[in-house]
Amino acid sequence: MTDDNHGGSGSGHESVPSRQRRRFPGISSRAYEHPADRSALVALRKLSGFDTVFKALSGLLPERSLRLLFLSDSVRVSDAQFAHLNTMLRDACYILDLEKVPPMYVNQDPVPNAMCIGLDEPIIIVTTGLVELLDEEEMRAVVGHEVGHALSGHSVYRTILLFLTNLALKVAWIPLGNVAIMAIVTALREWFRKSELSADRAGLLVGQDLQASMRGLMKIAGGNHLHEMNVDAFLEQAEEYEAGGDLRDSVLKILNVLPRSHPFTTVRAAELKKWAATRDYQRIMDGHYPRRDEDKDTSVSDSFRQSAASYASDVRSSKDPLMKLVTDIAGGAGDLGGKLRGKFTGGAAGGSANSGGSGGSGNSGPDTGSSDPGSGNSPEDGGK
């Protein structure tokens, strides 16, 4: 399948490649969803009355206002406007077999970003900063990413997350109200971080160019300076981030990621590369994948087991000091007290005698974790 064979008048855009890319008729979003994302979605879809509740809730959400806002103050992608993006959008929907092409808007914003929102029908928004930052193949992966969100139904929960986050800010002065809402927001953010990994996979299925996906993530992290960056070195950062430090760093990592709706870009790149090397990805590319017409028969318990197995596998394979400690404890490691001392001081289990000065060196840790908890929310918290 080529862009020249699909995409209407937008197919004349000179930089659109003519290479063949595989299409996935009837593909279910379960084919590319991260296990934790999939189990949450399957459970929600199985809930009796779930659609009724959300239709009632939709009256409280500013969805109509958002649609009017983008219609009145952004540029709607079409054959007449941003035709090359329109070609990519229609092409992505064709590859993932999404029957209705969602509206896409380009919004004036120098911050590179994209998002898919909406309760009744998804809409996709990309910023001018992102359009100007990415090349053709990198942008194709982003559009596929957002279409993956639409196919999975993520736009519904993303809209609710945005609403609850804004609501939490408005009721922050209420002693217990904010705590209750933030508990829900924190849980939704944990799910949404996993849903971003799912959408990255969808972007790869659409673009079918792993290096372009890697470059796009790298540019989001470091800007349009490819001649100054290296994909392998970028992935080494993810390795260093995961394995480096001691238990104090592990705690700071958790504190840093909690306010974010997206995983860190180096982590996303490493996760996507790892998935691209799996048998699951190859089976999809060979045409063997779950179909949408089988979704109704999906077992909730099976999905939860897969999610639990995925988390357990992540813990076992993780090089993070905290995760390694959890694995050791689960395996019945001896001398727990000495192991804890060694992990926190960065020394051996019995090295507590010379660890007195380590506390001072760690004083800057809490400041690093709390210096600007909202900073993780700015460029990425909207979508891509």
Side-chain angles (χ1 to χ4, degrees):
M1 174 267 170
T2 69
D3 280 335
D4 293 331
N5 295 332
H6 187 80
S9 62
S11 61
H13 195 267
E14 292 182 356
S15 58
V16 173
S18 59
R19 65 183 177 84
Q20 293 284 333
R21 279 175 293 117
R22 187 175 297 277
R23 183 175 180 248
F24 308 102
I27 190 171
S28 168
S29 59
R30 292 181 291 116
Y32 59 80
E33 284 165 351
H34 186 282
D37 172 24
R38 187 190 312 136
S39 63
L41 290 175
V42 168
L44 286 171
R45 290 164 184 159
K46 291 284 186 178
L47 282 178
S48 177
F50 179 74
D51 292 339
T52 304
V53 170
F54 272 101
K55 284 183 178 178
L57 183 60
S58 65
L60 302 174
L61 301 179
E63 181 184 12
R64 295 178 69 88
S65 175
L66 284 173
R67 290 180 183 276
L68 289 172
L69 177 63
F70 289 116
L71 184 63
S72 64
D73 204 32
S74 300
V75 176
R76 183 164 57 191
V77 171
S78 67
D79 287 339
Q81 302 185 115
F82 289 99
H84 73 291
L85 292 182
N86 190 47
T87 299
M88 287 186 201
L89 175 62
R90 295 173 62 181
D91 185 54
C93 292
Y94 181 70
I95 289 176
L96 294 180
D97 202 13
L98 187 65
E99 292 183 4
K100 187 171 183 180
V101 179
M104 176 189 282
Y105 293 91
V106 176
N107 184 47
Q108 171 62 29
D109 188 339
V111 177
N113 205 355
M115 62 180 171
C116 181
I117 59 173
L119 289 176
D120 295 326
E121 295 182 359
I123 59 174
I124 296 172
I125 300 95
V126 296
T127 65
T128 52
L130 190 67
V131 175
E132 293 162 5
L133 177 66
L134 303 183
D135 69 22
E136 196 83 10
E137 289 293 89
E138 295 157 7
M139 194 68 198
R140 188 183 304 279
V142 170
V143 173
H145 174 111
E146 299 305 329
V147 169
H149 276 312
L151 181 58
S152 289
H154 291 158
S155 61
V156 173
Y157 316 113
R158 177 59 174 158
T159 305
I160 293 169
L161 176 57
L162 288 172
F163 172 73
L164 290 177
T165 302
N166 292 333
L167 182 62
L169 295 175
K170 293 178 181 178
V171 301
W173 59 275
I174 302 176
L176 294 180
N178 184 50
V179 173
I181 292 174
M182 285 310 299
I184 300 173
V185 167
T186 299
L188 275 173
R189 280 177 177 160
E190 166 60 16
W191 159 73
F192 200 81
R193 285 191 289 271
K194 297 299 185 290
S195 78
E196 283 299 301
L197 300 179
S198 299
D200 284 343
R201 297 174 179 182
L204 179 59
L205 290 178
V206 168
Q208 298 174 27
D209 184 341
L210 180 60
Q211 288 304 309
S213 294
M214 296 287 106
R215 292 197 311 268
L217 289 168
M218 196 164 59
K219 281 185 177 180
I220 289 172
N224 193 14
H225 304 281
L226 275 180
H227 62 289
E228 298 283 355
M229 295 185 285
N230 179 277
V231 171
D232 292 334
F234 187 65
L235 292 172
E236 286 174 7
Q237 290 180 225
E239 181 81 10
E240 182 179 345
Y241 170 78
E242 181 184 6
D246 52 28
L247 282 181
R248 292 167 297 184
D249 296 299
S250 298
V251 173
L252 291 176
K253 291 176 190 176
I254 294 172
L255 294 176
N256 283 340
V257 80
L258 278 178
R260 298 172 61 92
S261 65
H262 288 57
F264 295 114
T265 49
T266 57
V267 175
R268 289 171 64 183
E271 285 285 336
L272 186 59
K273 184 177 181 182
K274 182 167 64 175
W275 184 71
T278 64
R279 178 61 181 155
D280 288 341
Y281 173 72
Q282 190 56 55
R283 283 181 57 81
I284 295 173
M285 296 304 295
D286 290 341
H288 305 294
Y289 49 80
R291 260 54 178 191
R292 219 167 296 162
D293 55 13
E294 302 167 350
D295 285 349
K296 62 182 182 301
D297 301 320
T298 305
S299 167
V300 177
S301 58
D302 285 348
S303 296
F304 276 115
R305 277 195 293 270
Q306 291 173 9
S307 177
S310 173
Y311 274 114
S313 176
D314 288 346
V315 170
R316 285 194 301 270
S317 62
S318 176
K319 298 179 182 178
D320 181 84
L322 179 59
M323 294 299 100
K324 289 173 69 176
L325 178 62
V326 169
T327 304
D328 288 345
I329 293 173
D335 191 17
L336 179 57
K339 187 172 289 290
L340 281 170
R341 285 196 302 273
K343 292 287 185 181
F344 271 106
T345 59
S352 59
N354 58 6
S355 64
S358 66
S361 65
N363 288 342
S364 62
D367 291 336
T368 303
S370 60
S371 59
D372 187 8
S375 63
N377 294 342
S378 52
E380 288 191 297
D381 250 23
K384 169 68 181 143

